[in-house]
Amino acid sequence: MDNLTIYLFPLSLLAILGLIYSLNNYISLLAYHLIIRSVFDSAHSITYKPILGFLTLGQLFSFFYIFIFIVYIINKKSNLQSTLLRPVLLLVVISTISAMFSGHWSGYVIFVTKWLYFYIIFVIAYDLSKNNSQKIIALVLFVATIYPIVNQLILSFVIEPKCVIGQPICSYIGTFYHESELSSWILMFLLGVSIGVKVGNGLVRYFYLSMFVIGVVSLILNGYRTAVLGFFVFLAVIFIASLKRMNVVSVFASILAIVIGVLLFGYISYDSVSVYTNDVLIFIKNPSEYFSIAGDVEKYDLFSGRLYIFNLVIREYINAGLIEYFFGIGPDVVVKNLGFFAHNEFISTFVELGLFGFFVFIWLLLAAWKIVRQSNDIVLFAMFVCVLVTALATMPFHDIRAIIVFALVIGFAKGKQARALRNGKY
């Protein structure tokens, strides 16, 4: 028995016992799932290696938990009906047709798994929020997401930062693989502590406030500019909403949001903001040099090369056939053909699922938007907007962690609305 087996055997037994215990209720089930997934993410050298065909250990973990969640939901007789169900199912149908024409079935499996995962997490979050207070939700998210923060902050003193030549910001990501996946965990953590600040009392509120500051520090150290921009929008939405409710708490939160916003803006302004502002001016002067619907451009150095990527991705669509115009070139075919993501969820969906898939995707987002708005919860609404903003320059709906954040926000919002209706507050 080698050293690795000696360590993994007892850990596996503990993991199994933890899983059995977590089946008691939605609270422990969701918390344990997130804890184990974050630990898996931090061990990327193991979890990202294919072990069954093209499937990695992390993907098999997703399949396993989808099965566990479905069995649990059926056993608890939870209501699976929602306004989100139809667009999600229709997305699956369109992706099936698209995969039939493209022949890219591995991308199809990933796509379907991702959106099935999204809907099940949404149902779990809905039931949790419907039957528990927001204080419980804040505690669950805090406990379930504190590990990635601790992992990053401790290892920032041990491991050298990840610096990319030509990029103005170096990042500390601990043992995680990429800034984007860690930033999703940080945003999930910030969502939980923000809810805690909103609903907590006395020392509890100050505790969550201190954790909020730690989360912001973690996000800055993470250095993922798209996430920082999204979080800046998160703060701005909360600040604007707080102007309508000028009590002591909202004034304090507003001042905090302004201070943190200014610090964040100051942190990135000397490098990133000035660069992107200059890029906008250059693009306005001569857009045809940098963007063409046909995909052929003369220059490609604006916006960290994202504009050039958009050109290449759109060219894949323009050069496709009539069927592809309506059903797309196939799930994840952009990565297969070009070797990289589109870095924009809207462009990616339009190209990979065609006109039909794009309209269904927008339908799904509008249905989710309605749910979150009707909850009258400014923290959930602000995080919803934050995720949509990140979708303009990265791929949150291709990242299972960001999918979890999105599903939790919508599920918590729907559950809060159902709880309020039950208690006669609507």
Side-chain angles (χ1 to χ4, degrees), residues 46-189:
I46 298 174
T47 56
Y48 283 2
K49 286 184 178 179
I51 61 173
L52 184 62
F54 63 88
L55 296 175
T56 65
L57 182 61
Q59 290 167 337
L60 290 175
F61 174 82
S62 298
F63 291 140
F64 171 75
Y65 253 100
I66 286 175
F67 172 76
I68 292 293
F69 284 147
I70 289 176
V71 172
Y72 192 86
I73 288 170
I74 293 173
N75 184 56
K76 293 294 184 179
K77 298 179 181 178
S78 301
N79 184 13
L80 285 171
Q81 295 295 322
S82 166
T83 53
L84 297 184
L85 184 58
R86 289 182 179 178
V88 168
L89 290 178
L90 198 50
L91 272 180
V92 171
V93 171
I94 292 173
S95 68
T96 304
I97 298 172
S98 183
M100 289 173 60
F101 287 102
S102 69
H104 188 49
W105 291 104
S106 60
Y108 167 76
V109 172
I110 294 172
F111 179 89
V112 173
T113 303
K114 173 183 62 181
W115 284 107
L116 180 60
Y117 202 101
F118 160 81
Y119 195 80
I120 291 175
I121 293 291
F122 160 73
V123 172
I124 295 287
Y126 165 59
D127 268 34
L128 192 159
S129 179
K130 181 177 65 175
N131 298 309
N132 297 277
S133 68
Q134 287 200 305
K135 292 181 180 179
I136 297 296
I137 292 173
L139 181 62
V140 168
L141 289 184
F142 171 75
V143 171
T145 59
I146 187 64
Y147 168 73
I149 308 295
V150 173
N151 175 286
Q152 177 211 33
L153 294 181
I154 291 178
L155 290 176
S156 66
F157 295 98
V158 179
I159 302 175
E160 291 294 321
K162 177 184 175 182
C163 300
V164 179
I165 297 176
Q167 296 293 327
I169 299 176
C170 292
S171 57
Y172 293 86
I173 57 175
T175 58
F176 287 80
Y177 178 70
H178 192 269
E179 294 88 341
S180 61
E181 66 179 39
L182 178 57
S183 69
S184 294
W185 285 112
I186 298 171
L187 290 178
M188 205 183 310
F189 175 83

Side-chain angles (χ1 to χ4, degrees), residues 221-406:
L221 289 175
N222 177 250
Y224 195 56
R225 287 169 294 179
T226 305
V228 171
L229 173 62
F231 182 67
F232 185 81
V233 172
F234 171 83
L235 291 177
V237 171
I238 291 179
F239 170 68
I240 293 171
S242 69
L243 294 176
K244 302 177 182 178
R245 308 166 185 171
M246 296 305 291
N247 54 40
V248 175
V249 175
S250 62
V251 169
F252 183 73
S254 300
I255 294 173
L256 180 67
I258 293 172
V259 171
I260 294 177
V262 169
L263 290 175
L264 281 175
F265 184 79
Y267 173 73
I268 63 177
S269 62
Y270 294 108
D271 295 308
S272 301
V273 173
S274 60
V275 169
Y276 288 135
T277 301
N278 188 53
D279 285 352
V280 170
L281 296 176
I282 293 174
F283 177 74
I284 291 175
K285 289 179 180 178
N286 199 344
S288 62
E289 287 187 351
Y290 297 93
F291 185 80
S292 169
I293 196 171
D296 300 316
V297 293
E298 299 176 21
K299 300 179 181 180
Y300 51 88
D301 55 343
L302 292 187
F303 306 109
S304 299
R306 275 170 168 67
L307 199 59
Y308 179 64
I309 290 175
F310 297 163
N311 277 276
L312 295 179
V313 173
I314 291 174
R315 184 167 62 186
E316 291 291 307
Y317 180 80
I318 295 297
N319 294 335
L322 182 61
I323 294 294
E324 285 78 6
Y325 289 162
F326 292 101
F327 292 100
I329 64 175
D332 278 355
V333 171
V334 167
V335 177
K336 177 187 175 184
N337 290 353
L338 301 178
F340 47 76
F341 288 108
H343 286 77
N344 182 296
E345 284 289 0
F346 300 95
I347 292 176
S348 179
T349 301
F350 180 74
V351 171
E352 294 185 339
L353 297 183
L355 282 171
F356 291 160
F358 180 77
F359 287 136
V360 173
F361 180 64
I362 297 300
W363 173 22
L364 172 63
L365 295 183
L366 290 175
W369 176 282
K370 184 177 180 181
I371 290 173
V372 178
R373 284 289 293 170
Q374 289 177 342
S375 71
N376 293 319
D377 190 308
I378 189 56
V379 172
L380 295 177
F381 179 73
M383 186 56 70
F384 181 86
V385 175
C386 170
V387 175
L388 290 185
V389 168
T390 63
L392 296 173
T394 188
M395 308 293 291
F397 303 125
H398 280 64
D399 181 354
I400 203 70
R401 305 142 200 93
I403 278 282
I404 291 173
V405 177
F406 202 57

